[in-house]
Amino acid sequence: MSGKTLYDKLWDAHVVRANDDGSCLIYIDRQLVHEVTSPQAFEGLRLAGRQPWRVDANLATPDHNVPTTDRAAGLAGISDPISKLQVQTLDANCDEFGITEFKMNDLRQGIVHVVGPEQGATLPGMTVVCGDSHTSTHGALGALAHGIGTSEVEHVLATQCLIQKKSKNMLVKVNGKVGAGVTAKDIVLAIIGEIGTAGGTGYAIEFGGEAIADLSIEGRMTVCNMAIEAGARAGMVAVDEKTIEYVKGRPYAPGEAQWPAAVAAWSELHSDTDAVFDKVVELDAEAIKPQVTWGTSPEMVVAVDARVPDPAAEPDAVKRTGMEKALAYMGLKANMPVTDIKLDRVFIGSCTNSRIEDFRAAAAVVKGRKVASSVKQALVVPGSGLVKAQAQEEGLDKVFIDAGFEWREPGCSMCLAMNADRLGEGEHCASTSNRNFEGRQGAGGRTHLVSPAMAAAAAIAGHFTDVRDMTA
Amino acid sequence: MEKFVTLKGLVAPLDRPNVDTDAIIPKQFLKSIKRSGFGPNLFDEWRYLDRGEPGVDNHHRPLNPDFVLNQARYQGAQVLLARDNFGCGSSREHAPWALEDYGFRCIIAPSFADIFYNNCFKNGILPIVLAATVVDQLFAETAATEGYALEVDLPRQVVTTPGGDTFPFEVDEFRKHCLLNGLDDIGLTLQHVDEIKAFEEKHRAASPWLFRNADPRATGS
């Protein structure tokens, strides 16, 4: 019998019961809750007269709707009354059911996927869910983490379980080392370019190989975050010394008494050498260059030194039409150099790239330079209050502000523009977020996904430019 | 949840791949704390010529005449014919809520995104995967025949065209059972309370660090 994959191990450790049709009842260790996908779940509990199964398995924070400008006025400072009601509803629900919530002005508030690992509230070996597709982020710690819909949020609240069918196993192996200036974001965009936005559908993806092992835990979070952009609900990376070092000492991490047993258990969280994957994809890290998306799907991505693809060269009719529609929406011409794309706004933030290392990388490019006068707005939005505080301690806020960036309060912000931060019609944005869908960052807005260093370089140049030329 | 057994429904074709849930229901409508009322804003950015906002009366907004759901022949459609990777992106259940509220009970595509596919079953919508060649045929027939309707038979797991072609489809037994009976799966899961408790006890003993109180203030640690 062959060995187990990391996914097999995580799955097997959480099966409460196996049903006749192959579906299983899976125990959930942690649920993260935010204001957008939870109100109807709490309402469902109330209507059915149910209580949460295990209150302390849940951790909540508002992130999607919160303003990123001055928060001195508290909830009264949320100008959109509908947004305000949603944040108030989260507060009221958490108070009513006794769920721990980092409210809007708590220093620990932030984007759920930044807050969870930062607090040690998501740990290796856990099953983690949240009503948000980027829950795959937490797989970077060697956890089984994926997004769910609101009905399932309610199901987990009520039963601490989910009915699931096991996914297939995929290994994405990135061999060798990436060159200087090539980051976790470029790796994952290159992976999505390779396998496509549906390439991981039906699979749990384990990311492995030297280039993944070389990444910091924050870099692995960036990669796992975008597993869903490749169609896979869950992405994960094996536990190693870096994982254990990362978790140690965090507020919700095991204390001294439990630490040795926890580390012993976590050390098993890797695929066995004889494990069999249903699909293996290999990439050569050395071949990966800084990436820029040109279209309206994350798979529409090329290297910064490439040209915008020509639909005429695409043999598949459905794909060709999709490319033509994307070019029309994006206001781009086939075969134009990517470096000719001019930017109106720059956004550095989101659950993909709003951690301290992201800001250090961007600040290193920005330092001593100025945002191009043609750029209307350049935003830096920290992933949490603690990231913000750390960045300020390191003086990164000053680097950004001196260059002409706006330094904001933590939240999802312009990644999906549910708050006031958004693109105008037809505006191009260099964004460190995860989705370049039509209208994602504001109706008619045009998103180009890039790494923090590439976004910083684009802000300075006013158009896309190879960050490796600026740092050399 | 409304039951789904059989349906004979008018088909509307949405001929583009990778239709994401941001397109199905744009973010500004996610601020609602309700489960209902999303239908008028389904595909909002494609459907209307102006920009939609919550609380606006959609009856007075200018429709985009080029968008397929605005064409007279597709009014009242209950079956949505779509392309690969339908429902990709955000996990928002507002997407199936909007589709259901609009009137769609069945979506046919060569492939679906996992989370969206799962969310459909929680809301009385049957997502059906058919081979790309079959979907091509259905697109062609829909375009050629006004009033084109498909018969969907969930107990027999078969789609029948007006011309009498039949296409079998797969669906998980448990999901089928819930759809056929309109069952709330929380109630079904709670039939296994003892097993959940037994698992939880064993799990807690093996990995006590997973059960630390989530609030450090509460434990004083």
Side-chain angles (χ1 to χ4, degrees):
Chain A
M1 202 177 120
S2 59
K4 287 181 174 185
T5 65
L6 170 59
Y7 173 60
D8 293 338
K9 291 180 185 181
L10 292 167
W11 175 271
D12 290 350
H14 290 87
V15 175
V16 173
R17 67 173 303 197
N19 300 319
D20 296 339
D21 71 341
S23 65
C24 290
L25 202 57
I26 295 293
Y27 189 83
I28 302 302
D29 295 312
R30 176 72 71 217
Q31 174 155 251
L32 300 167
V33 178
H34 64 83
E35 78 277 22
V36 178
T37 56
S38 68
Q40 299 86 351
F42 285 113
E43 184 64 14
L45 280 190
R46 267 191 294 269
L47 289 173
R50 292 174 176 136
Q51 285 294 315
W53 179 278
R54 183 156 80 83
V55 168
D56 67 359
N58 300 283
L59 177 63
T61 191
D63 55 7
H64 285 62
N65 274 285
V66 296
T68 58
T69 46
D70 183 25
R71 289 190 188 159
L75 289 180
I78 305 180
S79 55
D80 178 346
I82 312 177
S83 285
K84 189 195 297 180
L85 177 62
Q86 205 164 48
V87 176
Q88 282 171 328
T89 303
L90 179 67
D91 291 355
N93 282 326
C94 289
D95 290 346
E96 178 186 340
F97 290 104
I99 290 171
T100 300
E101 182 197 6
F102 299 155
K103 292 192 165 72
M104 194 175 80
N105 280 349
D106 188 312
L107 181 64
R108 300 168 293 180
Q109 176 270 339
I111 306 173
V112 278
H113 309 309
V114 174
V115 169
E118 182 176 78
Q119 291 293 323
T122 48
L123 293 170
M126 271 185 170
T127 42
V128 180
V129 297
C130 174
D132 190 285
S133 60
H134 292 111
T135 308
S136 57
T137 310
H138 308 269
L141 296 165
L144 175 54
H146 60 79
I148 55 178
T150 297
S151 293
E152 289 183 319
V153 171
E154 184 183 341
H155 194 282
V156 174
L157 280 169
T159 71
Q160 211 52 48
C161 291
L162 269 185
I163 301 161
Q164 293 277 291
K165 205 154 193 180
K166 198 177 171 195
S167 304
K168 290 180 283 184
N169 277 288
M170 183 190 294
L171 175 64
V172 174
K173 205 170 165 205
V174 188
N175 299 311
K177 291 187 180 297
V178 292
V182 177
T183 68
K185 183 65 164 287
D186 303 303
I187 293 175
V188 73
L189 285 172
I191 291 170
I192 296 163
E194 176 79 21
I195 70 175
T197 45
T201 304
Y203 292 92
I205 298 181
E206 178 177 346
F207 298 98
E210 188 181 359
I212 301 294
D214 281 351
L215 290 174
S216 68
I217 299 303
E218 291 191 5
R220 294 176 193 177
M221 287 184 207
T222 300
V223 172
C224 289
N225 174 274
M226 292 191 69
I228 184 66
E229 263 44 81
R233 296 215 295 171
M236 64 197 76
V237 176
V239 170
D240 63 9
E241 288 297 322
K242 286 183 195 173
T243 322
I244 291 165
E245 193 53 40
Y246 176 90
V247 171
K248 196 169 188 178
R250 293 189 182 267
Y252 296 28
E256 274 180 38
Q258 294 173 343
W259 185 255
V263 170
W266 297 342
S267 302
E268 300 298 317
L269 295 176
H270 53 79
S271 291
D272 295 332
T273 48
D274 58 344
V276 178
F277 289 85
D278 300 291
K279 189 172 177 182
V280 178
V281 176
E282 298 199 48
L283 277 82
D284 175 11
E286 276 179 39
I288 300 174
K289 297 173 181 177
Q291 305 282 304
V292 180
T293 65
W294 57 268
T296 53
S297 164
E299 70 184 11
M300 294 173 168
V301 63
V302 290
V304 63
D305 60 2
R307 286 169 183 273
V308 172
D310 190 343
E314 173 58 55
D316 181 287
V318 174
K319 270 193 184 161
R320 186 165 61 241
T321 313
M323 289 171 77
E324 285 162 354
K325 280 185 172 149
L327 284 182
Y329 180 84
M330 294 297 288
L332 298 177
K333 294 202 160 32
N335 300 311
M336 72 184 279
V338 167
T339 47
D340 281 359
I341 300 172
K342 294 182 177 60
L343 284 321
D344 300 290
R345 293 181 202 262
V346 174
F347 171 61
I348 301 178
S350 87
C351 57
T352 316
N353 284 125
S354 63
R355 299 177 181 83
I356 191 68
E357 293 173 15
D358 298 318
F359 291 172
R360 286 177 189 147
V365 174
V366 165
K367 192 163 189 168
R369 296 181 165 121
K370 295 281 181 201
V371 172
S373 58
S374 55
V375 173
K376 294 177 200 165
Q377 184 183 43
L379 280 183
V380 186
V381 184
S384 72
L386 290 167
V387 170
K388 184 181 181 225
Q390 173 71 28
Q392 289 179 180
E393 200 177 304
E394 297 179 20
L396 303 182
D397 57 326
K398 289 197 176 56
V399 172
F400 287 117
I401 291 166
D402 289 348
F405 281 84
E406 295 173 35
W407 178 248
R408 295 290 189 90
E409 298 294 326
C412 299
S413 180
M414 203 188 271
C415 174
L416 85 167
M418 275 191 76
N419 70 351
D421 309 334
R422 62 187 69 172
L423 300 183
E425 176 97 30
E427 289 181 343
H428 287 268
C429 179
S431 177
T432 67
S433 55
N434 40 55
R435 291 195 173 126
N436 51 349
F437 300 155
E438 285 186 18
R440 170 81 179 181
Q441 294 190 287
R446 294 160 169 166
T447 304
H448 301 275
L449 305 176
V450 288
S451 74
M454 281 289 288
I460 303 303
H463 55 85
F464 284 115
T465 185
D466 191 334
V467 69
R468 296 173 301 179
D469 298 337
M470 291 182 74
T471 46
Chain B
M1 185 177 83
E2 200 178 335
K3 287 182 190 179
F4 187 110
V5 184
T6 58
L7 171 74
K8 183 171 182 182
L10 184 69
V11 180
L14 188 61
D15 194 2
R16 53 196 292 166
N18 299 318
V19 171
D20 57 74
T21 54
D22 276 77
I24 296 172
I25 183 82
K27 86 278 289 176
Q28 62 269 37
F29 305 108
L30 273 52
K31 295 174 185 175
S32 167
I33 56 172
K34 297 184 188 149
R35 277 183 104 102
S36 55
F38 295 99
N41 300 110
L42 176 72
F43 299 118
D44 196 275
E45 289 185 12
W46 293 338
R47 194 163 147 200
Y48 300 97
L49 292 171
D50 66 347
R51 298 301 174 198
E53 287 298 332
V56 168
D57 182 355
N58 296 291
H59 292 98
H60 302 296
R61 296 176 58 200
L63 294 171
N64 174 7
D66 295 334
F67 184 58
V68 67
L69 293 187
N70 290 333
Q71 295 174 20
R73 60 182 288 194
Y74 298 123
Q75 298 313 302
Q78 289 181 288
V79 178
L80 184 66
L81 187 60
R83 293 290 187 185
D84 264 315
N85 202 26
F86 188 84
C88 62
S90 160
S91 58
R92 59 189 69 167
E93 199 162 316
H94 312 66
W97 293 341
L99 287 158
E100 196 269 343
D101 195 49
Y102 181 88
F104 287 116
R105 296 297 315 279
C106 174
I107 308 167
I108 298 174
S111 64
F112 291 90
D114 286 341
I115 300 178
F116 174 82
Y117 182 79
N118 195 38
N119 283 341
C120 283
F121 286 98
K122 313 285 184 191
N123 294 285
I125 297 175
L126 175 62
I128 296 178
V129 175
L130 292 178
T133 49
V134 173
V135 172
D136 282 343
Q137 177 190 330
L138 299 182
F139 266 102
E141 291 180 4
T142 304
T145 319
E146 201 161 331
Y148 186 82
L150 287 171
E151 284 183 51
V152 180
D153 185 328
L154 179 57
R156 288 176 52 231
Q157 295 181 216
V158 66
V159 175
T160 306
T161 70
D165 288 340
T166 56
F167 301 108
F169 61 88
E170 298 286 323
V171 58
D172 288 343
E173 272 309 312
F174 179 74
R175 285 167 163 157
K176 180 177 174 179
H177 174 71
C178 288
L179 264 190
L180 285 174
N181 299 289
L183 291 176
D184 159 16
D185 59 7
I186 294 178
L188 292 174
T189 295
L190 287 174
Q191 291 174 2
H192 306 297
V193 163
D194 292 344
E195 279 170 274
I196 300 171
K197 283 186 173 162
F199 176 90
E200 194 167 51
E201 202 173 314
K202 196 178 63 167
H203 195 48
R204 188 191 293 266
S207 311
W209 55 87
L210 298 178
F211 290 79
R212 281 167 52 95
N213 191 306
D215 188 355
R217 289 168 305 188
T219 57
S221 60

